[in-house]
Amino acid sequence: MKIIILGAGQVGSSVAESLVSEANDITMVDVDSKRLALLQDRLDLRAVVGNASHPSVLVNAGAHDADMILAVTEHDETNLVACKLAATLFNTPTKIARIRSTEYLAHPEIFSTENFCVDFAICPEQILTEYIEKLIEFPEALQVLDFAAGRVSLVAVRALKGGALVGQQLQELRKHVPNVDTRVAAIFRKDRSIIPEGDTIVEAEDEVFFIAAAEDIRTVMRELRSMDKPVKHVMIAGGGKIGKRLGEALEKDYQVKVIEHNYQASERLAGELNHALVLHGDATDETLLESESIAEMDMFCALTNDEENNIMSALLAKRMGAHKVIALINRRAYVDLVQGSRIDIAISPAQVTIGSLLAYVRQGDVVAVHSLRRGAAEALELVAHGDARSSNVVGRKVEDVKLPKGATIGAIVRGLPKSESVFGGNLISEQEKRSRESSSDVQVIIAHHNTVIEQEDHVILFVINRKMIREVEKLFQVNVGFL
């Protein structure tokens, strides 16, 4: 595909890196020439310096024959105008805008074809907030990812000594949880991937990815490690967009404290949050943390805009007794460095967000994409179209589908109606979408070797190496004759 990315920040750079590796024709636009030069040194892409909302800049970027425009600059207004220009002047087929302001998101009619012509609107801050919420709900997990409108979850946990399954073969899992159907999709041992077989033995410290119906997640977790006590007390360092959203999401169900170093921002935040306690101070201030009972915190979330500050405050909180700490870190090198050390979970905002964008770029009918292990692996939800003659997967048993080695079908969801689309500005909330789809007769089938894939099934796959993605996508594309 020929794709123009507007904005070379963290999100734009990460998307570009992912898409370039998949042989797409990428042009990057940004006002910062130095930032673009650094990207060109690393990636095979074309760079255009200029304001993304100017028609002449879009012309220079090749908008006249682009397949897609990803407007992910830091300014909502620039992104909206760029999408409108792409539709009006260039008739660009797909236009995606990054929207941060809740003022815009609260009025989905803004994105319609009569207005700014945004086909898909994504909000990275909201995606991050929901991601962290899941980690707080399941404190034992390293990642919790939803598929099929929340019907199925893929969860990563670290197998700890003392877990019922540690030291045993995977085929023993069914004996431990006879009433729950689950499947281990992958195991990572000291950064080396292991394709799970029935006789694979789980070792302590293994990173185990398993898939199950959402309601069965806790039961399976209990077999892999001892369960933590439920989270009650949460401390958030940083009252910015993400910190505020998380505080709003948690304050009804948890005891929440938010530390904000800017006095005016902390005053404003105190007026916007109803139950959370807002503190003006520095999250790396040992005296402040001690006075606010950091040792009693079940979860400490470092979410400021300064990644070094996030690392230091998380390390300090852990040393002072916080049970679990999460740090938001932009640089991938830093994430790899601190993940699994004294910091329990290091989150890369770009890697969490990128899946929402990749779902629109992938070939075939891709419903969801999640980046795993900091971009090394992926989980996808694809819809199987066609019939036994026109499709490589429909009408076939899982064992007969010619997947590349390292790709695993984890689950199949049958009877799921088409999700309400955000296309053309017809935005609906995730909660509304789930309530509509949960009312239908939907089957969650954990995939086994003899499971047969049927037409319109949602197939959830785990791919240990992103280089296999294109081959997997081709499998799910129907022959031209069927169309």
Side-chain angles (χ1 to χ4, degrees), residues 12 53 100 143 147 171 206 301 317 341 362 380 418 437:
S53 62
R100 306 174 76 181
Q143 278 188 294
F147 294 92
Q171 57 195 10
D206 279 356
C301 305
S341 60
R362 298 284 189 231
L380 304 93
K418 289 185 178 180
E437 295 181 343

Side-chain angles (χ1 to χ4, degrees), residues 214-225:
E215 61 268 21
D216 297 329
I217 292 301
R218 291 191 189 278
T219 304
V220 181
M221 274 186 173
R222 203 170 289 117
E223 296 304 313
L224 292 168
R225 54 170 295 155

